[in-house]
Amino acid sequence: MSIITARAVKKTYVAGDVEVEAIRGVDFDIPAGSFAAFVGPSGSGKSTLLNMIGCLDRPTGGTLEVAGTDVGGFTPKQAAAFRATTIGFIFQDFNLLPVLTVYENIEYPLVMVQKRPADERRKRIAALLEDIGMADQAGKLPSQLSGGQKQRVAVARALVGSPQVVLADEPTANLDTATAHRIIDLMRRMRDEFGTTFIFSTHDPKVMAEAETTFELEDGRLTRTTQEASHV
Amino acid sequence: MFSVLKIATRNLMRYRRRTLLTALLITVGVMAVLLFVSVSGSFKAMMVGQITDSMLGHVQVHRKGYVASIDSLPLNLNLKPGAVAKVEKALKDIPGVAASSPRVKFGAMFSNFTETTNIRLNAVTPDREAATVPLLPKRISEGTVEEGLVAKGKILIPALLAKGMKVGIGDTVVLVATNRDGSVNGRTFVVQGVLDAISGPGGRDGTIHIDDARTLLRMSEGEISEIAVRVSDVGAVNRVTAALETALGGETNQQGKPVFEVHGWEKLSPFASIARMIDLLTLFVQVILVAIVLVSVMNVMMMAVFERIREIGTIAAIGTPPGTILALFLTEGVLLGIVGAVIGTAASLIAIAGINAAQLTFQFGQQDNLPLHAATNPGSIALISAIVIGVAVFGSLQPAWRASRMDPNTALRHV
């Protein structure tokens, strides 16, 4: 069963009198629980596609369904509410809140967005901190962490609200190769544990190889879809 | 709410120097306003007290048209005994009237047997006058208080006249006055005391007993020029004035015109305009405070929003509702206002205690060594604090609104 369904999805930006077609009518399906990647060079449309799946941007044509909901017509308020319950984000620059500790950064979506009770929050965060191997770093501020540690915290923050889809835009771009692999391993392990669909964008060939399904993009068009044999 | 407060506090502490400078600016503003309000308010209250308690009283009742002609002290505009009785009855019925004093005011020639000059006189019933203007006995700088204020056959003369005419305590002087029929009469008085002059109407008048005035002016009946009224609470002056106007307003003469006119002290003393000026200055200082808080808080919050665009994008992407983002930034601004207001108030109270401990004095008119007593009240503190916090909210509103409406996609791409 597909958790993402795209049919003839287009995205056109207007800059003054000039129209720029970022996505030129793409069709794809991503099954639930996938570990998928959009790959391609800069400007190919990876981030735009990820933003539309994450309801940060709206398609200008076609239909895009996420978790069974057509997200194309969302108002900003509806989009925010949908993201709060359905989607988690991992950013290239980690984007942790610098004034909050590791624990508080992971707790943020549960307190400020989902308003979960304190007891439930404590249990959930303790389990996640164990999963990402940072139980002893819970009181540290982001400024006291390495890049890899920050991205592990970001993975935990993305997963804490039990989203159906986690979107990671170039999650390893600011990490060395070894750390990048550890982060990909962590994400895959989390996928296996929670059944969450992970979709990331990358142009790093080493990271591409880790994905089970890859969608290759070029100039806003989907040029090739590759699936690991076990997922065909 | 706790989380919003926690994040807002930590964000403020993140830019510690900027936060401290802004809080300091607000603190200085609050201090300046509270000190100004406390000192000017006390100065105003003291001056009003000096004027009303030394000569004017809080309210005066005259025959209609008297105040317009008060410079010539017209005897033909005195109140007849029947009218006086009506005023006395009205005063008894109005709550908040502490005392009243009937007065005969007139001009006379003052002679020390070698020189002659003019004098304005205030003829009073001593005990009622002392109760209505309790600071008047204290103005007697030489001589003593007799029979409550001034004894029959004696006179309290203004200091300038005593000096100019070289008259001292116990000297005999002659007062010559023209009554309203035009006939002239004279009488000797013994100088009982010298009155310090004060600024304003009546501040350089002499004082005699009301019975002496009636004899001198050959009044056949107990007519008077004015009735001065003291109210128990200065804040009730307008209420008592209005009540008197209502009570006496229905009295008309044979031509159907009103018999009485009632004035609060503000209508009778030029100092009222100075008091109004003090109020205006207070308002002006408060406006400056509003400007300081508005500009500083708005500047800090605009900077905060600009510097944290990617953070705003992140929390918006996570799904933080716009209302929560608005609350986060608004809370930062409000916290700045609260911190400034609290520290400013505490510092002001210390400064006020310091001013009072230093026992500073000032001069007003002929009066010297008046103590400068700074005092504030919970009402002023609450008002200033409310202004600061309200303006802090207002100053944060635009940046907070901008943050809450930010497109997360655009914000995340901000460099």
Side-chain angles (χ1 to χ4, degrees):
Chain A
M1 184 190 164
S2 296
I3 194 152
I4 313 286
T5 305
R7 294 291 176 265
V9 170
K10 287 184 184 175
K11 180 66 189 178
T12 306
Y13 293 107
V14 179
D17 295 335
V18 183
E19 281 194 356
V20 180
E21 285 188 278
I23 301 291
R24 300 165 190 250
V26 297
D27 299 86
F28 60 86
D29 291 278
I30 300 178
S34 295
F35 201 67
F38 287 103
V39 300
S42 294
S44 59
K46 310 183 294 290
S47 297
T48 304
L49 214 43
L50 232 52
N51 286 339
M52 287 193 289
I53 295 169
C55 305
L56 296 173
D57 210 347
R58 291 200 299 181
T60 49
T63 57
L64 180 62
E65 282 187 13
V66 179
T69 306
D70 185 350
V71 299
F74 275 169
T75 62
K77 202 173 172 181
Q78 287 170 326
F82 186 76
R83 286 197 301 270
T85 55
T86 314
I87 297 168
F89 287 92
I90 298 168
F91 302 97
Q92 178 180 331
D93 296 323
F94 327 121
N95 289 18
L96 299 179
L97 298 181
V99 294
L100 302 183
T101 62
V102 165
Y103 185 97
E104 290 164 340
N105 261 291
I106 300 171
E107 190 184 27
Y108 182 93
L110 298 183
V111 179
M112 303 293 284
V113 182
Q114 298 187 354
K115 322 270 185 208
R116 300 273 184 88
D119 196 41
E120 184 190 332
R121 293 200 309 260
R122 263 194 302 276
K123 283 181 191 160
R124 178 88 177 132
I125 296 162
L128 272 169
L129 281 168
E130 284 294 331
D131 281 340
I132 63 169
M134 290 191 65
D136 56 342
Q137 318 271 340
K140 284 189 174 175
L141 289 170
S143 58
Q144 298 169 299
L145 303 177
S146 68
Q149 287 174 320
K150 284 180 191 170
Q151 200 58 305
R152 278 147 68 189
V153 176
V155 170
R157 183 180 64 181
L159 285 166
V160 75
S162 308
Q164 295 180 60
V165 180
V166 169
L167 302 173
D169 190 7
E170 306 270 8
T172 57
N174 287 338
L175 302 174
D176 59 69
T177 307
T179 309
H181 279 296
R182 279 200 291 275
I183 290 296
I184 295 292
D185 284 344
L186 174 68
M187 292 199 291
R188 200 199 301 260
R189 198 154 44 82
M190 295 292 106
R191 188 279 309 266
D192 294 342
E193 189 176 337
F194 301 116
T196 312
T197 306
F198 272 79
I199 305 168
F200 51 95
S201 69
T202 185
H203 57 262
D204 180 348
K206 289 190 289 284
V207 179
M208 286 176 213
E210 302 281 349
E212 294 161 354
T213 307
T214 53
F215 298 97
E216 287 182 38
L217 286 163
E218 200 172 314
D219 290 334
R221 289 193 182 87
L222 201 56
T223 53
R224 194 163 65 149
T225 303
T226 314
Q227 281 189 301
E228 271 184 9
S230 60
H231 289 82
V232 176
Chain B
M1 187 59 202
F2 172 71
S3 297
V4 170
L5 200 62
K6 183 170 75 178
I7 295 171
T9 308
R10 289 196 195 165
N11 273 320
L12 282 176
M13 294 317 290
R14 178 174 165 188
Y15 306 103
R16 198 162 295 171
R17 189 178 298 174
R18 190 167 69 195
T19 300
L20 285 176
L21 280 173
T22 308
L24 186 69
L25 194 61
I26 297 172
T27 298
V28 169
V30 169
M31 257 187 88
V33 173
L34 269 176
L35 280 178
F36 182 82
V37 168
S38 62
V39 171
S40 67
S42 302
F43 172 80
K44 182 183 152 188
M46 177 177 285
M47 288 304 96
V48 171
Q50 285 286 322
I51 287 162
T52 56
D53 295 356
S54 298
M55 51 187 177
L56 272 185
H58 294 125
V59 183
Q60 290 187 357
V61 183
H62 301 92
R63 184 167 160 184
K64 187 78 180 170
Y66 186 90
V67 171
S69 314
I70 201 162
D71 284 343
S72 60
L73 300 173
L75 293 170
N76 62 333
L77 287 176
N78 280 351
L79 291 166
K80 302 290 181 192
V84 174
K86 285 175 184 167
V87 177
E88 300 273 17
K89 182 180 178 310
L91 288 171
K92 275 189 188 128
D93 294 340
I94 294 172
V97 174
S100 63
S101 176
R103 295 166 176 169
V104 174
K105 298 174 86 76
F106 64 102
M109 299 296 289
F110 177 96
S111 172
N112 62 1
F113 298 103
T114 55
E115 288 178 274
T116 301
T117 187
N118 295 319
I119 185 171
R120 292 165 63 96
L121 287 158
N122 208 15
V124 300
T125 308
D127 52 346
R128 291 184 68 178
E129 182 72 3
T132 305
V133 282
L135 292 182
L136 179 59
K138 292 178 185 166
R139 284 174 54 203
I140 301 174
S141 59
E142 294 175 43
T144 54
V145 172
E146 292 181 25
E147 295 178 20
L149 184 64
V150 60
K152 284 182 185 174
K154 295 194 173 177
I155 182 170
L156 298 171
I157 57 171
L160 282 174
L161 190 69
K163 190 177 175 187
M165 297 290 282
K166 298 180 184 66
V167 176
I169 308 299
D171 288 351
T172 301
V173 295
V174 178
L175 292 181
V176 179
T178 305
N179 72 4
R180 68 170 167 173
D181 298 329
S183 62
V184 177
N185 191 25
R187 221 192 127 182
T188 57
F189 286 82
V190 174
V191 176
Q192 179 194 310
V194 175
L195 284 172
D196 276 345
I198 58 171
S199 304
R204 290 183 174 81
D205 290 0
T207 303
I208 60 171
H209 197 286
I210 197 164
D211 291 346
D212 290 337
R214 284 175 178 151
T215 306
L216 182 63
L217 295 169
R218 290 175 177 155
M219 286 178 174
S220 55
E221 50 186 5
E223 61 187 73
I224 60 130
S225 309
E226 71 186 16
I227 298 177
V229 179
R230 178 176 182 75
V231 297
S232 44
D233 173 17
V234 180
V237 168
N238 289 341
R239 181 183 59 76
V240 171
T241 305
L244 263 175
E245 280 171 341
T246 305
L248 302 175
E251 301 293 335
T252 52
N253 59 19
Q254 288 170 340
Q255 288 78 42
K257 291 182 178 170
V259 175
F260 300 103
E261 59 186 11
V262 183
H263 294 96
W265 74 269
E266 289 183 339
K267 297 273 171 59
L268 299 165
S269 170
F271 182 75
S273 55
I274 298 174
R276 276 194 291 277
M277 188 77 81
I278 291 173
D279 290 340
L280 200 66
L281 280 173
T282 304
L283 181 70
F284 182 67
V285 170
Q286 284 172 344
V287 168
I288 291 175
L289 175 70
V290 167
I292 288 172
V293 177
L294 189 68
V295 170
S296 55
V297 170
M298 208 163 181
N299 179 49
V300 164
M301 295 316 299
M302 283 171 83
M303 288 286 285
V305 170
F306 182 75
E307 286 168 352
R308 305 209 306 255
I309 287 177
R310 279 173 71 90
E311 272 178 56
I312 295 165
T314 303
I315 60 174
I318 288 171
T320 310
T324 307
I325 298 174
L326 182 91
L328 274 168
F329 283 90
L330 217 50
T331 306
E332 282 185 41
V334 171
L335 279 176
L336 270 175
I338 290 173
V339 168
V342 169
I343 299 175
T345 301
S348 303
L349 292 176
I350 293 168
I352 287 168
I355 289 171
N356 291 336
Q359 296 185 321
L360 302 174
T361 59
F362 66 97
Q363 187 180 359
F364 181 73
Q366 298 293 315
Q367 292 168 288
D368 205 356
N369 289 325
L370 290 169
L372 181 68
H373 179 73
T376 187
N377 58 66
S380 295
I381 292 172
L383 177 70
I384 302 296
S385 301
I387 289 174
V388 168
I389 294 165
V391 172
V393 170
F394 186 72
S396 316
L397 210 51
Q398 192 274 342
W401 179 260
R402 190 173 155 236
S404 71
R405 299 290 131 183
M406 217 169 261
D407 171 37
N409 190 26
T410 311
L412 282 167
R413 279 188 281 138
H414 182 79
V415 181

